[in-house]
Amino acid sequence: MPVLQTSAVPNNDDFQTRLAGFNRALEKLRQNHARIAEGGGPKMRERHISRGKIPVRDRIDMLLDPDAPFLELSALAAWSMYDNRVPSAGIVTGIGVVSGVPCMIIAHDATVSGGTYFAETVKKHFRAQEIADEQRLPVIYLVDSGGGNLPQQDLIFPDKEHFGGSFYMQSRMSARGIPQLAAVFGPCTAGGAYIPALSDEVIMTKGHGHIFLGGPPLVKAATKEEIDADSLGGAELHTYETGVSDHIAHSEAEALGKMRDIVANLNSPRALVTNNDVLPPRYDASEIGGIIGDDLKRPYDIREIIARVVDDSEFQPFKPDFGTTLVCGFAKIHGHPVGIIANNGVLFAESAVKGAHFIELCDQRQIPLLFMQNITGFMVGLESERAGISKHSAKLVYAVSNARVPKITLLCGGSYGAGNYGMCGRAFRPDFLFSWPTSRIAIMGGETAASVLTDLQRAKKADEDKIKALEKKTIDQFTEQEDPYYATARLWDDGIIEPEQTRDVLGICLGITADFEKDTGPRPVYRM
């Protein structure tokens, strides 16, 4: 297979300028990740530990196999919202290997508002279940939650993808044979009681784990009955008398050990592929920052990025001399075959037709797709319209929508307008979607949006001062809303990752999707 060559020169001024700008963005990302890792802060963490409880990320570490990877999802959910009082939306989700089996882990952080559910918590919980359902991953719930955040009841309670929707998903997954397992470390109150109650197998920790539809305060208000939490719904009651719990543990460490034993005996066919013969890229991923920088207006060759992600930097291009602003080709990542579709400029009609054709080939050959987005959109103007850009761009959108192979999307740069759609944005249900810290996503750039709106006002002979105010307001709005942290806080992606982590993250995702249920029926002919 052809090997990609690099033209990057790490010692030149342009590379160093780009690298400095990118490193500032990278340092910001690392600082933000360090902040959310503190959970509810030192005071709440100390209080949590003083009760003999283990912090949520330490629980996950103890649950996972030694040295096994953990792909945390949506780590910065709810970032900068609620005055940053709800780091990670109060819940940690991700994919990790437990007793040799890749599992989806959904774990509450009781140091954050008592582990209660905000709107973003529900959305994050639901997204983790959606991935588990699509990839048939066993789900492990590490439960330590006070239930719904009552002031947000209209945002978490009644709709189909609110809290009740997560119970629906849990029930459906169990019925499909996808194991649902729960270890209860804290309260499971009201609707939260259904997380363990709907699980296939449940472990409760003595002294801290409680399950009840109504806690002691509600019972007292409703029936005047005074009762303590252990007597009402503790581990001994539910393990020895009601049978709600299947196992009792006298410590959290014991509960996590029991969970590992349960997973080991699932008779699961799932296992991550490991291939010690895989060759790493020939070029250093640490150079990516010096190639892309932090200014989206400065172009770069996407093949430089591909060369630092794929095995041995080998890449078999498809139609390399046609529709050149869209790079398509075959490669492997950690031994897994993948078809790559990557932007190298605006999408013309030829690029769209080429992309649709390439998707057809990958669909026929059962090869997963990786979309690498750095796109301002489809080309506009008289020449493009005469070339049939509307119809040809629709072909690409149709192909993306109907591809029956796993799809993974990576936002390497900009993701604007219909280009987001043609390159498998969130609306097109990629199995996973990740962003880099210098990426941007919006319907269009702020300056372009301001130009459109101010031109309309000038056509109406509006006051020039009002036009200038509108211009500033629009640019400020788009600058705020296209920021990757704005997007990830609202779970428009599955997390912001570092470029140096990208190869391993993609390897995990491709390993998870490797045994997808293949549809061998006839393939539509997109290119026609």
Side-chain angles (χ1 to χ4, degrees):
M1 189 182 293
V3 175
L4 290 166
Q5 303 298 315
T6 183
S7 60
V9 182
N11 294 327
N12 72 17
D13 291 342
D14 180 65
F15 185 97
Q16 290 299 319
T17 299
R18 291 178 186 240
L19 181 61
F22 182 82
N23 281 343
R24 287 191 293 271
L26 192 59
E27 181 59 27
K28 178 181 178 182
L29 175 65
R30 290 172 178 173
Q31 289 175 354
N32 292 347
H33 275 144
R35 167 65 185 87
I36 59 100
E38 296 175 357
K43 183 178 178 180
M44 295 304 298
R45 184 182 176 92
E46 290 172 10
R47 181 181 176 187
H48 185 81
I49 294 172
S50 70
R51 294 174 171 175
K53 303 179 76 171
I54 300 171
V56 62
R57 285 182 170 80
D58 293 341
R59 286 174 180 161
I60 293 172
D61 286 343
M62 294 173 67
L63 177 65
L64 298 177
D65 292 355
D67 300 321
F70 178 63
L71 177 57
E72 185 169 349
L73 303 170
S74 306
L76 292 165
W79 178 259
S80 80
M81 303 170 74
Y82 313 108
D83 298 322
N84 260 340
R85 292 182 293 103
V86 194
S88 287
I91 192 171
V92 178
T93 64
I95 299 169
V97 182
V98 180
S99 298
V101 180
C103 299
M104 176 62 73
I105 299 169
I106 300 176
H108 301 107
D109 187 350
T111 70
V112 179
S113 298
T116 55
Y117 276 70
F118 289 72
E120 292 69 30
T121 319
V122 172
K123 192 171 183 179
K124 184 171 176 177
H125 184 124
F126 197 88
R127 172 59 181 157
Q129 289 181 304
E130 182 179 53
I131 292 172
D133 186 42
E134 291 171 350
Q135 308 304 331
R136 298 188 65 85
L137 296 173
V139 184
I140 298 174
Y141 303 89
L142 304 183
V143 188
D144 197 351
S145 171
N149 186 274
L150 296 182
Q152 289 211 325
Q153 71 88 23
D154 63 322
L155 301 175
I156 65 172
F157 174 65
D159 212 345
K160 69 177 184 178
E161 291 186 1
H162 284 177
F163 209 8
S166 70
F167 305 142
Y168 173 83
M169 286 286 290
Q170 190 173 343
S171 301
R172 299 283 291 184
M173 281 192 283
S174 180
R176 290 184 62 207
I178 302 173
Q180 305 292 299
L181 312 170
V184 180
F185 300 117
C188 299
T189 308
Y194 288 118
I195 295 176
L198 289 170
S199 293
D200 305 315
E201 205 160 348
V202 180
I203 304 163
M204 291 185 71
T205 53
K206 182 180 178 181
H208 290 129
H210 300 103
I211 300 173
F212 27 56
L213 292 180
L218 180 59
V219 169
K220 183 177 180 180
T223 68
K224 309 303 181 186
E225 183 180 10
E226 294 193 20
I227 189 168
D228 64 86
D230 277 337
S231 301
L232 183 62
E236 291 178 305
L237 171 75
H238 284 312
T239 307
Y240 301 145
E241 297 183 37
T242 69
V244 171
S245 171
D246 304 297
H247 310 274
I248 191 169
H250 295 82
S251 68
E252 293 194 3
E254 182 185 351
L256 293 167
K258 287 179 180 290
M259 181 60 74
R260 288 183 51 79
D261 291 340
I262 291 171
V263 175
N265 288 283
L266 287 176
N267 192 29
S268 174
R270 303 304 309 268
L272 287 176
V273 174
T274 57
N275 189 340
N276 295 327
D277 297 327
V278 169
L279 293 174
R282 300 188 182 201
Y283 311 107
D284 194 342
S286 67
E287 296 173 347
I288 290 176
I291 294 169
I292 69 174
D294 64 341
D295 184 355
L296 296 186
K297 294 180 180 179
R298 302 180 69 178
Y300 59 87
D301 188 343
I302 195 65
R303 284 169 289 228
E304 294 284 358
I305 309 305
I306 297 171
R308 288 160 175 80
V309 172
V310 302
D311 295 356
D312 201 28
S313 300
E314 291 185 338
F315 181 72
Q316 176 64 50
F318 173 74
K319 286 185 182 292
D321 302 312
F322 178 81
T324 55
T325 59
L326 189 67
V327 174
C328 301
F330 301 98
K332 290 185 178 180
I333 298 176
H334 280 290
H336 300 289
V338 63
I340 297 175
I341 302 179
N343 299 122
N344 228 17
V346 66
L347 285 167
F348 291 89
E350 296 87 351
S351 313
V353 172
K354 171 182 173 177
H357 187 176
F358 182 71
I359 290 171
E360 177 194 25
L361 293 182
C362 290
D363 209 39
Q364 287 175 336
R365 299 172 188 177
Q366 302 287 301
I367 297 174
L369 289 161
L370 169 62
F371 296 84
M372 300 177 70
Q373 287 197 17
N374 183 23
I375 181 65
T376 55
F378 290 97
M379 191 63 188
V380 297
L382 178 60
E383 186 176 346
S384 288
E385 295 300 340
R386 283 180 170 173
I389 188 67
S390 298
K391 184 64 174 178
H392 293 312
S393 63
K395 291 178 183 177
L396 181 58
V397 169
Y398 181 87
V400 171
S401 302
N402 288 284
R404 287 167 279 188
V405 294
K407 293 172 286 188
I408 301 170
T409 302
L410 176 67
L411 272 58
C412 303
S415 178
Y416 292 103
N420 170 276
Y421 298 161
M423 289 296 293
C424 198
R426 185 65 121 184
F428 290 81
R429 279 70 167 176
D431 295 80
F432 296 94
L433 189 155
F434 297 100
S435 304
W436 281 356
T438 50
S439 66
R440 297 291 185 271
I441 181 170
I443 193 169
M444 62 181 66
E447 293 179 1
T448 303
S451 177
V452 170
L453 293 175
T454 54
D455 284 350
L456 289 172
Q457 291 302 309
R458 286 192 176 96
K460 297 178 181 178
K461 310 297 184 183
D463 180 76
E464 192 62 30
D465 288 339
K466 290 183 178 179
I467 290 175
K468 289 182 179 179
L470 174 62
E471 180 180 42
K472 182 180 185 304
K473 178 182 177 182
T474 303
I475 291 175
D476 289 346
Q477 175 194 350
F478 274 70
T479 299
E480 175 191 3
Q481 294 179 355
E482 70 178 355
D483 187 88
Y485 294 99
Y486 188 94
T488 201
R490 290 156 180 80
L491 286 95
W492 297 348
D493 60 25
D494 293 316
I496 303 175
I497 60 175
E498 299 184 18
E500 287 188 57
Q501 300 170 333
T502 300
R503 172 176 161 80
D504 290 339
V505 169
L506 295 176
I508 292 172
C509 295
L510 289 167
I512 292 296
T513 61
D515 61 348
F516 67 98
E517 296 180 10
K518 295 178 173 61
D519 182 345
T520 57
R523 264 40 190 175
V525 184
Y526 306 127
R527 67 180 183 274
M528 302 304 292

